[in-house]
């Protein structure tokens, strides 16, 4: 990669995808690395700078690959290790980095480690997992997959003991108290970093270690372990990153950054539902309040912001009342609910309202952190709530109107999941090709937004200051980095709004709207007045105007 700035991730625009869902090159109904290579031009066109690949390792696929049965291979239907290497080269050639899931917490019960562990109590592999004679141990730990699991222990008739699992019962947890296991996982990491991966999304990190009498989440021993991982990676692989998946309150996520000696990045889980609440209730308080509860993180670290991903829109980090509100607002049909959350894509959640889709993207692209786009959301893809588990949001990417949305030439019945065909989000109406040909499509707008973000380092690196205007519907904040000041004004309301801003400290500066490069009236010593269309937003750069520069965007127009 030519950009060797070790803090590249602070300016990155991430794109999350599953190889199986993107493009099928050999017509077997399942996407593969060769197909993905063919689509890299599209991703380059869009402007994303780092891909996050969902698990592509051999697996019985009972948890979409998060049930790994071999940490050092590629699931054969997705291609070979050589294909993966070619893909990495091709992505890097285009300036696109790639991180992948590192499923640390558990394996599949089909993993040879577990198979040997359960069969022989004498084997050193036995203590790669967590066993007990009693299912009463660690009784304070909550159950995460409440739809399917009744206990975190499952009896294994072969081992004649219970094994510990925080997720599905076919996913036994690994035992991080065992130094041999730790060593084995470092070897796994080295294997993938040597192939050229730029880092890992570290799956389910809060649950790595368990202790009696605790909730078995976020333990100090877990943090010590992550510090070891970080030290190891820093010594050998400069510029590679660890992104923590810790679905926790901000105060509990903060330690995952350490003193910049744990993870480089962490998802901001609790912010996500508050963005949806803010828009639905037309009120900036839920969003601003979440930031007042978010501790500062080291300068070299970064939040990762997202609207949707491959899982349900989790409501775990919500109060009971907030959860009820979210279900009421976004998932009245019980079919849309999974575990503690809502298994829907962005566009259907927002009733396909282009204005709201833009506004929510505008928020994740301008609040502090690096944004992630979930594949297909850049064209407003829909979901299928009738598919089981979280499959409704994991359907094939929609490329064009050809058979199977241009994803695969296979017999439609062979597809890993059916394509979306409904009249609103079906591939006949919602697809990449159509959007590329329509200059005002969502995809074109996403491309412009990404390009604008990339031009202004303050988005990725700047401080934030909320302005708290009297109009509750208008969210306003400043992002500042070095000599750049950006002003974001966003109308969470579904009706036109006016807002008065106290910008006196910037008197003399000219707000330049970044999408149109349009100059607005300069800031004086009175309140600055703005009006916004329903769900409208302005991204301004505040420019110190030389005295002769007085023209506004409207001058020179014939009115
Ligand atoms: C992943 C889920 C997966 C779970 C258990 C999560 O953190 O995002 O998709 O089901 O880990 O592996």
């Amino acid at each position: 990669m030519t950009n060797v700035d070790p803090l590249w991730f602070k300016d990155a625009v991430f794109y999350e995808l599953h190889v199986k869902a993107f493009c099928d090159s050999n017509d077997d109904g399942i996407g593969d690395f060769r197909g993905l290579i063919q689509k890299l031009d599209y991703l380059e066109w869009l402007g994303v700078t780092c891909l996050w690949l969902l698990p592509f390792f051999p697996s019985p696929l009972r948890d979409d690959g998060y049930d790994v049965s071999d940490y050092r291979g590629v699931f054969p239907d997705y291609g070979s290790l050589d294909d993966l290497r070619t893909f990495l080269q091709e992505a890097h050639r285009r300036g696109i980095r790639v991180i992948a899931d590192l499923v640390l917490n558990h394996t599949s019960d089909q993993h040879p480690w577990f198979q040997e562990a359960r069969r022989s109590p004498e084997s050193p592999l036995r203590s790669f997992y967590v066993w007990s004679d009693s299912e009463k141990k660690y009784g304070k730990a909550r159950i995460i997959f409440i739809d399917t699991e009744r206990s975190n222990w499952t009896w294994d008739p072969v081992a004649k003991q219970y094994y510990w699992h925080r997720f599905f019962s076919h996913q036994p947890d690994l035992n991080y108290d065992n130094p041999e296991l730790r060593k084995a996982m470092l070897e796994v990491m080295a294997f993938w970093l040597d192939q050229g991966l730029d880092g890992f999304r570290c799956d389910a990190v809060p649950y790595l270690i368990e202790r009696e009498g605790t909730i078995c989440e976020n333990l100090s021993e877990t943090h010590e372990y992550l510090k070891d991982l970080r030290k190891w990676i820093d010594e050998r692989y400069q510029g590679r990153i660890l992104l923590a998946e810790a679905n926790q309150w901000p105060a509990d996520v903060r330690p995952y950054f350490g003193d910049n000696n744990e993870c480089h990045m962490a998802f901001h889980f609790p912010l996500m539902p508050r963005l949806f609440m803010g828009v639905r209730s037309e009120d900036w308080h839920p969003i601003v309040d979440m930031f007042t509860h978010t501790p500062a993180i080291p300068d070299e670290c970064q939040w990762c912001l997202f609207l949707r991903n491959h899982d349900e829109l989790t409501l775990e980090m919500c109060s009971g009342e907030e959860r009820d509100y979210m279900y009421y607002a976004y998932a009245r049909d019980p079919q849309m609910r999974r575990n503690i959350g809502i298994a829907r894509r962005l566009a259907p959640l927002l009733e396909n309202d282009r204005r709201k889709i833009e506004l929510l993207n505008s928020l994740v692209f301008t609040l502090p952190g690096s944004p992630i786009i979930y594949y297909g959301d850049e064209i407003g893809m829909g979901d299928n709530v009738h598919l089981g588990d979280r499959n409704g949001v994991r359907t094939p990417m929609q490329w064009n109107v050809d058979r199977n949305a241009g994803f695969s030439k296979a017999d439609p019945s062979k597809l890993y999941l059916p394509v979306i065909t409904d009249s609103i989000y079906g591939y006949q109406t919602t697809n990449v090709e159509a959007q590329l040909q329509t200059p005002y499509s969502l995809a074109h707008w996403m491309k412009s937004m990404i390009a604008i973000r990339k031009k202004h380092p303050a988005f990725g690196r700047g401080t934030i200051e909320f302005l708290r205007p009297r109009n509750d519907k208008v969210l306003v904040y400043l992002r500042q980095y070095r000599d750049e000041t950006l002003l974001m004004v966003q109308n969470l309301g579904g009706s036109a709004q006016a807002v008065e801003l106290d910008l006196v400290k910037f008197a003399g500066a000219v707000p330049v709207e970044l999408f149109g490069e349009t100059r607005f009236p300069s800031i004086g010593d009175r309140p600055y007045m703005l009006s916004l269309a329903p769900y409208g937003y302005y991204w301004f750069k505040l420019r110190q105007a030389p005295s002769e520069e007085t023209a506004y965007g409207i001058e020179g127009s014939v009115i």
Side-chain angles (χ1 to χ4, degrees):
M1 294 290 301
T2 43
N3 173 5
V4 287
D5 178 356
L7 299 185
W8 59 268
F9 56 91
K10 294 193 62 128
D11 308 309
V13 176
F14 288 81
Y15 186 92
E16 174 192 0
L17 68 90
H18 202 309
V19 179
K20 79 166 183 202
F22 218 57
C23 180
D24 170 18
S25 74
N26 61 352
D27 305 336
D28 62 356
I30 303 164
D32 44 51
F33 278 107
R34 291 186 182 201
L36 179 54
I37 293 169
Q38 291 167 21
K39 298 301 182 184
L40 278 170
D41 286 347
Y42 164 70
L43 295 171
E44 187 182 11
W45 172 85
L46 191 60
V48 296
T49 58
C50 185
L51 306 181
W52 155 25
L53 300 186
L54 288 159
F56 52 77
F57 318 104
S59 159
L61 298 187
R62 294 178 66 197
D63 184 15
D64 208 12
Y66 281 97
D67 45 337
V68 178
S69 57
D70 172 5
Y71 279 117
R72 292 167 189 242
V74 171
F75 188 80
D77 289 347
Y78 307 156
S80 64
L81 204 50
D82 267 346
D83 293 339
L84 171 113
R85 286 193 202 105
T86 314
F87 156 72
L88 286 175
Q89 279 163 13
E90 286 297 310
H92 286 162
R93 195 165 65 74
R94 291 167 171 82
I96 298 177
R97 287 186 163 83
V98 183
I99 64 169
D101 259 286
L102 180 67
V103 190
L104 289 159
N105 182 64
H106 47 263
T107 67
S108 156
D109 58 6
Q110 300 308 305
H111 195 293
W113 291 347
F114 187 73
Q115 288 303 321
E116 184 174 329
R118 71 195 300 210
R119 282 200 189 95
S120 89
E122 312 314 304
S123 162
L125 291 175
R126 180 77 159 201
S127 59
F128 267 31
Y129 295 89
V130 182
W131 302 96
S132 171
D133 293 325
S134 153
E135 53 179 335
K136 300 273 178 285
K137 223 173 157 187
Y138 307 140
K140 288 194 171 161
R142 69 188 165 121
I143 292 168
I144 297 170
F145 282 173
I146 55 164
D147 283 359
T148 49
E149 305 307 315
R150 293 288 160 263
S151 166
N152 287 322
W153 291 107
T154 290
W155 175 254
D156 184 49
V158 180
K160 301 203 168 34
Q161 277 193 307
Y162 293 96
Y163 61 87
W164 179 249
H165 54 87
R166 289 310 298 271
F167 295 94
F168 288 121
S169 59
H170 55 77
Q171 285 167 318
D173 273 32
L174 289 163
N175 173 18
Y176 280 88
D177 283 324
N178 180 344
E180 288 308 309
L181 183 260
R182 291 184 178 207
K183 209 167 125 228
M185 290 311 283
L186 285 183
E187 285 164 13
V188 168
M189 288 172 67
F191 177 81
W192 290 110
L193 293 169
D194 288 341
Q195 311 300 321
L197 276 182
D198 296 289
F200 298 107
R201 175 228 187 227
C202 303
D203 186 57
V205 282
Y207 318 109
L208 298 184
I209 290 180
E210 33 295 312
R211 289 287 178 267
E212 195 53 270
T214 73
I215 59 164
C216 299
E217 295 183 24
N218 311 320
L219 300 185
S220 56
E221 293 86 341
T222 296
H223 289 293
E224 289 312 312
Y225 170 65
L226 290 171
K227 287 191 174 80
D228 289 348
L229 276 195
R230 172 64 182 268
K231 188 161 177 288
W232 177 90
I233 211 170
D234 279 354
E235 282 166 7
R236 293 164 183 81
Y237 299 95
Q238 274 290 306
R240 319 286 181 100
I241 61 160
L242 299 173
L243 160 58
E245 190 222 10
N247 185 357
Q248 302 285 330
W249 292 104
D252 295 324
V253 181
R254 172 63 187 82
Y256 287 92
F257 295 109
D259 295 323
N260 185 33
N261 57 355
E262 244 177 76
C263 297
H264 304 77
M265 302 186 78
F267 292 108
H268 201 316
F269 274 95
L271 174 66
M272 180 271 299
R274 273 131 198 120
L275 299 174
F276 287 93
M277 280 178 219
V279 171
R280 181 60 195 235
S281 61
E282 308 199 348
D283 184 352
W284 51 255
H285 286 87
I287 300 170
V288 177
D289 285 354
M290 187 39 69
F291 278 97
T292 51
H293 290 112
T294 299
I297 60 172
D299 278 352
E300 303 81 2
C301 293
Q302 181 75 317
W303 290 107
C304 208
L305 307 188
F306 64 103
L307 293 167
R308 292 296 302 113
N309 63 21
H310 64 290
D311 287 327
E312 67 276 20
L313 187 168
T314 169
L315 302 175
E316 282 165 298
M317 296 302 122
C318 288
S319 66
E321 206 176 309
E322 288 169 329
R323 236 172 249 168
D324 289 347
Y325 180 73
M326 286 294 286
Y327 282 136
Y328 165 78
Y330 290 107
R332 284 194 214 175
D333 176 352
Q335 298 246 51
M336 297 168 175
R337 304 178 190 178
R338 296 288 183 288
N339 296 312
I340 302 177
I342 304 171
R344 305 209 70 196
R345 270 188 179 270
L346 184 64
L349 278 168
L350 301 176
E351 294 160 314
N352 212 22
D353 185 333
R354 170 74 181 266
R355 300 168 307 172
K356 283 194 257 180
I357 296 174
E358 287 190 14
L359 177 66
L360 275 165
N361 274 298
S362 163
L363 294 172
V364 283
F365 270 71
T366 59
L367 285 164
S370 295
I372 287 207
I373 301 166
Y374 183 51
Y375 84 91
D377 282 351
E378 78 278 18
I379 56 166
M381 250 172 76
D383 51 43
N384 180 348
V385 297
H386 305 288
L387 298 173
D389 197 354
R390 291 145 291 173
N391 290 330
V393 302
R394 298 173 176 178
T395 59
M397 181 67 176
Q398 296 172 193
W399 295 104
N400 54 43
V401 293
D402 295 349
R403 178 190 190 123
N404 303 323
F407 159 75
S408 169
K409 292 200 181 65
D411 182 322
S413 57
K414 277 179 76 183
L415 296 189
Y416 76 90
L417 281 177
V419 294
I420 303 285
T421 52
D422 65 62
S423 55
I424 305 172
Y425 306 102
Y427 66 90
Q428 299 88 343
T429 26
T430 302
N431 67 65
V432 171
E433 187 180 293
Q435 296 211 5
L436 292 187
Q437 287 170 17
T438 314
Y440 297 100
S441 64
L442 182 60
H444 272 280
W445 178 82
M446 293 288 291
K447 176 185 164 68
S448 320
M449 180 182 59
I450 293 169
I452 294 168
R453 181 184 158 102
K454 290 202 295 199
K455 274 197 232 153
H456 299 280
F459 286 125
R461 307 204 179 210
T463 55
I464 185 154
E465 183 190 338
F466 289 100
L467 293 192
R468 297 182 168 81
R470 257 189 291 165
N471 185 339
D472 290 340
K473 296 183 196 290
V474 185
L475 173 64
V476 189
Y477 43 92
L478 293 160
R479 303 294 318 274
Q480 278 178 306
Y481 181 67
R482 298 193 172 150
D483 56 359
E484 180 170 73
T485 302
L486 305 175
L487 169 69
M488 302 294 122
V489 187
Q490 334 217 30
N491 178 9
L492 307 178
S495 52
Q497 296 296 321
V499 67
E500 282 188 3
L501 302 177
D502 177 1
L503 296 174
V504 175
K505 66 178 172 183
F506 301 106
V510 176
V512 179
E513 197 284 324
L514 295 177
F515 281 81
E517 294 283 337
T518 311
R519 270 182 297 221
F520 271 50
S522 57
I523 298 167
D525 48 15
R526 291 160 157 253
Y528 194 78
M529 286 280 298
L530 281 169
S531 55
L532 295 108
Y535 305 117
Y537 51 88
Y538 292 124
W539 295 14
F540 291 117
K541 178 184 166 91
L542 299 188
R543 196 156 72 199
Q544 287 308 327
S547 50
E548 70 276 11
E549 202 179 39
T550 51
Y552 306 148
I554 56 167
E555 287 181 8
S557 328
V558 178
I559 299 176

